[in-house]
Amino acid sequence: MTRVVVTGAAGFIGSNIIQGLNARGITDVIAVDDLKQGDKFRNLAKVQIADYVDADTFYDEFAAGHFGQVEAVFHEGACSDTMELDGKYMMANNYTLSCHLFHACQKRGVRLLYASSAATYGGSDTFREDPAFEAPLNVYGYSKLLFDQRMRRECGNDFQRTKAGKTHQVVGFRYFNVYGPHEQHKGRMASVAYHQYHQFLKEGKVKLFGEYGGYSPGAQMRDFVFIDDVVAVNLWFFDHPAQSGIFNLGSGHAQPFNDVASSVVNTMRALRGEPPLDLSAIAAQGLVEYIPFPDALRGKYQCYTQADLSALRATGCNHTFADVQTGVAQYVKWLANQA
């Protein structure tokens, strides 16, 4: 039986990866997390696992071989709050711990598939896996970039596994704006779609940032990627152990926040038996509210992101990604069914 480890298992991406593994019949999963935020148990209650191990004890136990033969570690555990200012805490969680895990994986012959982030690009206007375009705007982005840089050093810049002893798969995924089921515990870091769904339920309208960065209200653009697509690409690399490297994981297609708002509003309207509206009609009816751009985010905010998928496609991964209209509609219907 294939045994895998998922860190951050009770979190958004981790729990969905376990769900994807379960769909393949893989249930020998060691789930690793920190349940100080106890309500995250809900994500684990929906999946099948073989064991749960607290993050405080797992890494040393794994390095010592306590879990027997493990095929791969999906390392999703991290501090993902981009507004967290405690750099010591961020580096300990996102860099030092990841380095410890990498060395343990190499020693034990275990493949490592880990979460990087599009935050590594920061204020860049080119989103390609190249040091020339990496310019993080916060310590979260830097913590992710430093681990990527460490992997390039350890594995070779192009991840051609030619160094002695570095023969096991290592894949870093630079996640763009991921949205979908099981992110309810993330608070302010949950996706725009999640927040807008609840805003519409409570207030009958959704809120977007107004004009900023040369973009008109709601026109700032991000690469929004549906969680099902993130899981599919993770599992594609799990199926292709010869492929290593750092890869963007976004849809490859930037869309404005207005598209998310329109999709949320129109899906909610459809659930009520009401006809769809275009953006101008949504705005005219007060179903979207544009709020002043917050001072706390000025100079730390990416107004535009779009994953360059050239490197991903070069591996042979030809997965088709959902657009916002498709993914958000599916997500809103899922949220409505949870109510």
Side-chain angles (χ1 to χ4, degrees):
M1 181 178 287
T2 301
R3 169 170 290 183
V4 300
V5 170
V6 179
T7 71
F12 173 33
I13 296 176
S15 63
N16 276 282
I17 287 175
I18 297 176
Q19 189 174 342
L21 290 165
N22 286 174
R24 294 173 159 219
I26 298 174
T27 59
D28 192 357
V29 179
I30 309 297
V32 180
D33 212 309
D34 172 350
L35 282 182
K36 286 179 183 176
Q37 187 180 345
D39 197 49
K40 289 199 298 183
F41 88 89
R42 298 179 190 281
N43 287 346
L44 287 179
K46 299 175 185 295
V47 296
Q48 290 182 279
I49 61 174
D51 199 5
Y52 172 85
V53 183
D54 188 88
D56 285 348
T57 60
F58 166 75
Y59 293 92
D60 287 338
E61 290 180 351
F62 176 72
H66 287 194
F67 302 102
Q69 183 177 353
V70 173
E71 176 66 26
V73 175
F74 293 88
H75 182 41
E76 311 302 319
C79 174
S80 59
D81 187 344
T82 60
M83 299 297 288
E84 174 61 60
L85 299 178
D86 185 340
K88 182 179 177 68
Y89 172 78
M90 188 72 77
M91 297 305 288
N93 275 271
N94 293 2
Y95 176 68
T96 305
L97 202 63
S98 296
C99 289
H100 183 40
L101 177 61
F102 163 74
H103 287 297
C105 284
Q106 291 297 318
K107 179 181 178 181
R108 306 237 154 249
V110 179
R111 299 190 279 141
L112 176 63
L113 299 92
Y114 72 90
S116 183
S117 172
T120 53
Y121 298 113
S124 178
D125 58 3
T126 301
F127 302 90
R128 189 164 70 243
E129 305 90 330
D130 186 306
F133 307 117
E134 296 163 355
L137 295 171
N138 50 44
V139 71
Y140 166 75
Y142 177 68
S143 70
K144 291 294 191 178
L145 176 59
L146 190 62
F147 186 64
D148 285 350
Q149 291 173 335
R150 181 68 177 269
M151 291 303 92
R152 286 169 173 156
R153 179 182 293 271
E154 295 278 359
C155 304
N157 282 332
D158 56 1
F159 274 35
Q160 296 300 313
R161 289 150 299 148
T162 56
K163 294 189 176 183
K166 301 298 188 289
T167 59
H168 308 294
Q169 183 185 37
V170 178
V171 185
F173 298 108
R174 288 187 169 171
Y175 297 140
F176 280 67
N177 285 65
V178 188
Y179 64 93
H182 308 309
E183 59 170 326
Q184 68 285 340
H185 61 281
K186 294 185 65 176
R188 65 182 180 180
M189 297 309 298
S191 71
V192 175
Y194 176 84
H195 287 299
Q196 289 182 354
Y197 168 80
H198 289 284
Q199 288 166 359
F200 194 83
L201 274 185
K202 183 178 179 181
E203 304 176 32
K205 61 185 178 183
V206 301
K207 297 179 180 180
L208 289 177
F209 290 149
E211 182 180 356
Y212 177 72
Y215 290 83
S216 58
Q220 296 89 357
M221 302 178 75
R222 291 285 182 87
D223 189 325
F224 298 100
V225 58
F226 191 40
I227 184 61
D228 288 5
D229 296 325
V230 167
V231 171
V233 173
N234 268 269
L235 294 180
W236 187 90
F237 278 89
F238 182 62
D239 291 338
H240 294 80
Q243 297 291 343
S244 288
I246 296 168
F247 301 98
N248 288 333
L249 213 176
S251 70
H253 179 53
Q255 292 187 249
F257 285 85
N258 281 323
D259 282 4
V260 181
S262 296
S263 298
V264 170
V265 170
N266 281 325
T267 304
M268 294 294 281
R269 286 176 61 83
L271 291 172
R272 299 175 182 181
E274 299 169 349
L277 301 171
D278 61 22
L279 180 63
S280 60
I282 288 172
Q285 294 190 26
L287 302 178
V288 61
E289 177 186 352
Y290 296 104
I291 61 175
F293 192 87
D295 289 339
L297 290 179
R298 290 183 181 275
K300 302 176 183 178
Y301 186 81
Q302 293 169 295
C303 287
Y304 176 89
T305 64
Q306 180 171 286
D308 182 329
L309 298 184
S310 300
L312 180 72
R313 297 309 191 198
T315 67
C317 180
N318 294 316
H319 178 76
T320 300
F321 292 86
D323 60 16
V324 160
Q325 288 76 5
T326 303
V328 170
Q330 185 174 330
Y331 182 29
V332 168
K333 290 173 187 174
W334 182 90
L335 286 168
N337 284 333
Q338 309 306 303

